């Protein structure tokens, strides 16, 4: 399956419930990264700033995921994510409409990714 051409094309391929959740998440990311460009990276929607993808998202059957495009960001927040009951891997945080990523936590994870990019 070819990568979608845009965020809108990606969202159009999601179920109505996932598309609604991801559209709201896209708006949250856009508000936190107003100077970033929307891109498709690894066949998923993402936000690129200064040549590096800072954040991305994807929809799956049972959840949606936030990707900071780094294996170093999510581990910094493991305790907090677990306390919130959010699923995660080394490189992704899983969320649903019933268990969203809190705004402050999302802001801090993006700040951690931006700080990581700044040191490279």
């Amino acid at each position: 399956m070819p990568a979608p051409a845009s965020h809108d094309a990606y969202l159009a391929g999601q179920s109505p419930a996932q598309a609604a959740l991801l559209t709201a998440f896209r708006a949250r990311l856009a508000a936190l990264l107003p100077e970033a460009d929307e891109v498709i990276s690894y066949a998923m929607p993402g936000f690129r700033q200064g040549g590096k993808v800072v954040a991305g998202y994807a929809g799956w059957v049972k959840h949606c995921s936030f990707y900071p495009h780094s294996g170093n960001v999510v581990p910094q927040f493991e305790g907090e994510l677990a306390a919130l009951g959010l699923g995660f891997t080394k490189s992704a945080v899983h969320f649903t409409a019933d268990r969203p990523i809190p705004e402050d936590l999302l802001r801090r994870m993006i700040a951690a990714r931006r700080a990581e990019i700044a040191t490279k």
Side-chain angles (χ1 to χ4, degrees):
M1 184 171 182
S6 67
H7 284 227
D8 290 334
Y10 182 88
L11 294 168
Q14 299 293 308
S15 72
Q18 293 293 70
L21 182 57
L22 290 171
T23 296
F25 193 72
R26 173 190 187 184
R28 291 175 65 195
L29 291 176
L32 291 169
L33 296 162
E35 63 285 339
D37 297 319
E38 288 191 343
V39 298
I40 298 296
S41 181
Y42 297 100
M44 295 181 286
F47 289 82
R48 181 176 53 215
Q49 182 177 357
K52 300 280 185 176
V53 178
V54 179
Y57 61 90
W60 306 101
V61 174
K62 295 184 179 186
H63 63 269
C64 293
S65 295
F66 161 61
Y67 297 91
H69 285 260
S70 167
N72 299 316
V73 173
V74 175
Q76 296 175 46
F77 300 92
E78 283 182 355
E80 194 169 350
L81 293 165
L84 290 167
L86 291 168
F88 58 91
T89 65
K90 182 179 178 183
S91 59
V93 177
H94 310 304
F95 63 95
T96 64
D98 294 334
R99 282 194 200 247
I101 301 171
E103 193 68 22
D104 179 62
L105 178 57
L106 182 61
R107 181 178 294 112
R108 288 185 286 121
M109 286 191 290
I110 288 173
R113 174 63 175 141
R114 290 170 104 175
E116 178 183 61
I117 290 169
T119 63
K120 290 187 177 182

